[in-house]
Amino acid sequence: MNFVLAAGGTGGHMIPAHALAAELRRRGHGVMLITDERGKRIPGLFLGIEVQALPAGRMSLNPLGFIRGVGAVIAGRRQARALFRAGRPDAVIGFGGYPAFPTLLAAGSMAIPTVLHEQNAVLGRVNRLLAGRASAIATAYDRILRLKPRFRSKIALVGNPVREEVARLGEQPFPAFDDFSPLKILITGGSQGASILGEVVPAGFAALTPGLRHRLQIVQQCRADDIDQVREAYRKLEIPAELMTYIEDMPAKLGDAHLVIARAGASTIAELTAAGRPAILIPLPSATDDHQTANAAEMARAGGSRTIAQPRFTPDALARQIEALAADPEALANAAARALSVGRPRAAQDLADLIERIADKSSLLPVGKVAAPRPRPFTAPAGAAA
């Protein structure tokens, strides 16, 4: 079968779509990605897969911005319809966000089955708009806020797809850690970085007892504007640190880490729980509908993470949490096991199963109806790379 994935904007939408694409191709299906220019620029994803970038407007409250957004959505819908007429997919899978909106509207207008995937614990705005037309809504959490009761029958709990390399980390032992070994900490603020982590985290490490501070080994993602300042802070503290603006080899960095300090984005939570890594989470307070706080709740309830609200995220508060976790190697390993207990490493396979079922059902046409000719499999142009 042929499937179109609609995603874009940030790694939180693109990474689960990338993981699903890999699983669908493994099963012999054709896959096309429709995204926006920003999503297309994220490195290391969708190599060898046909990628189309369409206009996608955000609905701003500003009247001029709203008009521009509507115009971009109309243009994107028109271009998506043209793509679907050239090669009709068996289903379209949307991963939320405004870049997916025109593609899903086009699919609905052509009676192509759609599946919505919601990565967060709060149903996103675009998915709320399209829930009534969707054949199914795949979720990453069993508790979903902002979901209308009449749509609950469409819910399928599958988890949030992660890369296969991350899923395999959960099958491996937690990295050895005792009272004398280095404490390896990974700090990430999502695909866009986070300035507050660059400000508070080095200061928090400075507040640790000297014995613990001298055992630290750091990998940190920083905003480009902050990286020099953060590097200088670690130099003064004599803490070995590897800094970068984007972590391309996240599975390797995550596999080495004993502890992660991060925002509570959906992909971050999915990777932490699939790999079994304890974390200190700082939800982004400006996230739409405060969805990052909701995302962090399941992992925290299980005992795999500790959450610090941003107004209380101070160097001293961070230092106390790190010392509590590092004081007992068994406690750190136990937190890792608790994180793993709520992981869903088979999310890509379970989502692919759901999509295949939806596409198969759509092929059972009523008597007298004629199926459209099956298109050629989607293939990447020679030498294509996202």
Side-chain angles (χ1 to χ4, degrees), residues 199-219:
E199 297 167 5
V200 174
V201 171
F205 293 158
L208 295 172
T209 60
L212 180 56
R213 185 172 68 246
H214 293 154
R215 293 165 57 196
L216 297 180
Q217 292 183 5
I218 305 303
V219 173

Side-chain angles (χ1 to χ4, degrees), residues 21 80 103 107 140 155 157 160 165 169 176 198 213 251 257 259 268 276 284 289 303 306 319 336 359:
T103 303
I155 291 294
L157 175 60
N160 196 7
E165 303 93 319
L169 294 175
R213 185 172 68 246
L259 177 65
T268 298
L284 177 67
D289 299 318
R306 301 178 180 210

Side-chain angles (χ1 to χ4, degrees), residues 13-301:
H13 297 303
M14 295 288 282
I15 289 174
H18 170 80
L20 175 64
E23 176 62 24
L24 292 173
R25 292 186 77 191
R26 198 159 31 239
R27 299 183 182 200
H29 301 307
V31 178
M32 176 193 293
L33 170 72
I34 297 181
T35 184
D36 60 351
E37 289 296 335
R38 187 168 61 148
K40 193 174 180 180
R41 289 194 298 268
I42 295 178
L45 303 180
F46 296 97
L47 300 178
I49 288 177
E50 184 175 357
V51 177
Q52 298 285 346
L54 302 186
R58 187 176 182 88
M59 303 305 175
S60 163
L61 293 178
N62 177 285
L64 183 58
F66 183 83
I67 292 170
R68 288 175 177 168
V70 170
V73 169
I74 292 172
R77 177 181 178 273
R78 182 172 60 248
Q79 292 180 36
R81 283 176 58 88
L83 287 171
F84 295 162
R85 284 193 293 267
R88 184 183 177 91
D90 293 275
V92 174
I93 303 90
F95 285 83
Y98 286 101
F101 194 35
T103 303
L104 290 163
L105 286 177
S109 72
M110 298 175 70
I112 297 170
T114 59
V115 175
L116 306 179
H117 183 268
E118 179 55 64
Q119 298 94 56
N120 294 301
V122 181
L123 197 67
R125 291 177 180 177
V126 166
N127 283 348
R128 293 202 295 267
L129 287 171
L130 297 170
R133 294 184 176 187
S135 300
I137 304 170
T139 64
Y141 298 91
D142 57 356
R143 302 182 186 184
I144 300 295
L145 304 177
R146 302 298 295 271
L147 174 70
K148 292 182 179 180
R150 69 177 183 270
F151 297 142
R152 294 195 181 279
S153 61
K154 297 185 178 187
I155 291 294
L157 175 60
V158 299
N160 196 7
V162 299
R163 289 164 283 193
E164 186 178 356
E165 303 93 319
V166 172
R168 284 200 295 263
L169 294 175
E171 302 170 0
Q172 302 170 12
F174 185 66
F177 179 69
D178 57 31
D179 293 328
F180 306 99
S181 59
L183 175 60
K184 299 180 180 180
I185 302 181
L186 170 66
I187 302 104
T188 174
S191 62
Q192 306 302 312
S195 289
I196 193 170
L197 298 182
E199 297 167 5
V200 174
V201 171
F205 293 158
L208 295 172
T209 60
L212 180 56
R213 185 172 68 246
H214 293 154
R215 293 165 57 196
L216 297 180
Q217 292 183 5
I218 305 303
V219 173
Q220 183 163 348
Q221 178 199 21
C222 304
R223 290 176 56 88
D225 293 343
D226 303 331
I227 196 166
D228 290 337
Q229 177 184 337
V230 176
R231 182 176 287 113
E232 178 63 14
Y234 284 130
R235 186 193 66 79
K236 290 180 178 178
L237 292 170
E238 298 182 342
I239 296 175
E242 181 183 358
L243 308 181
M244 60 207 72
T245 57
Y246 183 80
I247 303 176
E248 289 194 41
D249 57 343
M250 179 60 82
K253 302 303 185 189
L254 188 59
D256 285 340
H258 296 108
L259 177 65
V260 178
I261 301 171
R263 289 298 196 187
S267 288
T268 298
I269 300 290
E271 292 184 340
L272 290 171
T273 56
R277 291 298 182 272
I280 297 171
L281 301 174
I282 305 91
L284 177 67
S286 61
T288 305
D289 299 318
D290 196 22
H291 67 254
Q292 288 204 3
T293 297
N295 290 350
E298 181 182 61
M299 190 176 176
R301 282 196 303 267

Side-chain angles (χ1 to χ4, degrees), residues 3 178 285 287 297 303 334 342 348:
F3 296 103
D178 57 31
N334 183 56
V342 292

Side-chain angles (χ1 to χ4, degrees), residues 347-372:
Q349 294 96 314
D350 291 343
L351 181 55
D353 289 345
L354 171 66
I355 293 163
E356 286 178 334
R357 291 198 300 272
I358 295 294
D360 281 344
K361 287 180 182 178
S362 71
S363 67
L364 301 177
L365 298 175
V367 175
K369 296 290 185 179
V370 179

